[in-house]
Amino acid sequence: MNAAPTASAPPPVLRRLGPPLAALAAVAAPTAYIARVDPNSPGHYPDCPFLVATGWWCPGCGGLRCVHALARGDLTTALHDNAAAVLLFAVLAVLWLRWAWAALTGGAPPRAAVGARRWVLIGLLLLVFTAVRNLPVGAGLAPALL
C-alpha cells in the first residue's frame, strides 16, 4: 500500500535568504565603489554618450552622482542629481524588502508584474523628465556640469 506523499518541510531560513542576500551583495559592492570614488571628480567614469552627442541630459545622467550622494546620506543632492533614479531606487528597495520578508517568513516571493500600459507610462514619464530637466525651468533636476 502506497502512502500519500507528505509535504516537504520548507528549506532552512538561511537557505531561503540566500538569493535576496546575494542580490543585496551584488548591489552593495558597486555602490561601495561609487561611494568611495567620487563621480563629481572628472576622469574616474566615462562621459554619457548621449550628453556628449546632444548636449542634453538623458534620464540616466547624474545617476552615479545620485548613488554617491545617497551612499553618503545626502538625499537633497541625490534628488538634484537624478530624481528619477532616487524614485527607482526607492521602488527597488521596497521590492527587495518584500522579497527578503517573504524569504524570512517562508512565504511566496512577491511578483512585480509590469504590463505594456505601465511600460508605456514609464517611458512617457522618463521622456517628460528628460525634456523638463533640459529646460531652464527644470534646471534643478539636472546635475551640475563638471
Side-chain angles (χ1 to χ4, degrees):
M1 181 184 291
N2 290 339
T6 58
S8 62
V13 73
L14 288 179
R15 187 169 170 200
R16 292 190 315 255
L17 281 172
L21 292 177
L24 182 63
V27 170
T31 300
Y33 179 80
I34 294 168
R36 190 172 169 329
V37 181
D38 190 357
N40 294 299
S41 302
H44 295 291
Y45 301 96
D47 293 331
C48 170
F50 185 80
L51 178 64
V52 171
T54 65
W56 293 355
W57 300 106
C58 79
C61 281
L64 289 175
R65 297 181 206 186
C66 173
V67 171
H68 180 76
L70 284 174
R72 296 181 172 272
D74 189 355
L75 181 61
T76 304
T77 301
L79 285 167
H80 173 69
D81 288 338
N82 194 320
V86 173
L87 178 63
L88 173 67
F89 300 150
V91 168
L92 291 175
V94 168
L95 291 173
W96 183 87
L97 286 170
R98 289 179 60 201
W99 183 24
W101 180 254
L104 186 64
T105 60
R111 295 186 46 89
V114 181
R117 286 184 180 164
R118 286 191 182 158
W119 279 120
V120 169
L121 179 62
I122 290 168
L124 288 173
L125 288 173
L126 286 175
L127 187 64
V128 168
F129 173 70
T130 302
V132 170
R133 79 190 309 211
N134 284 290
L135 296 172
V137 71
L141 294 173
L145 288 171
L146 295 180

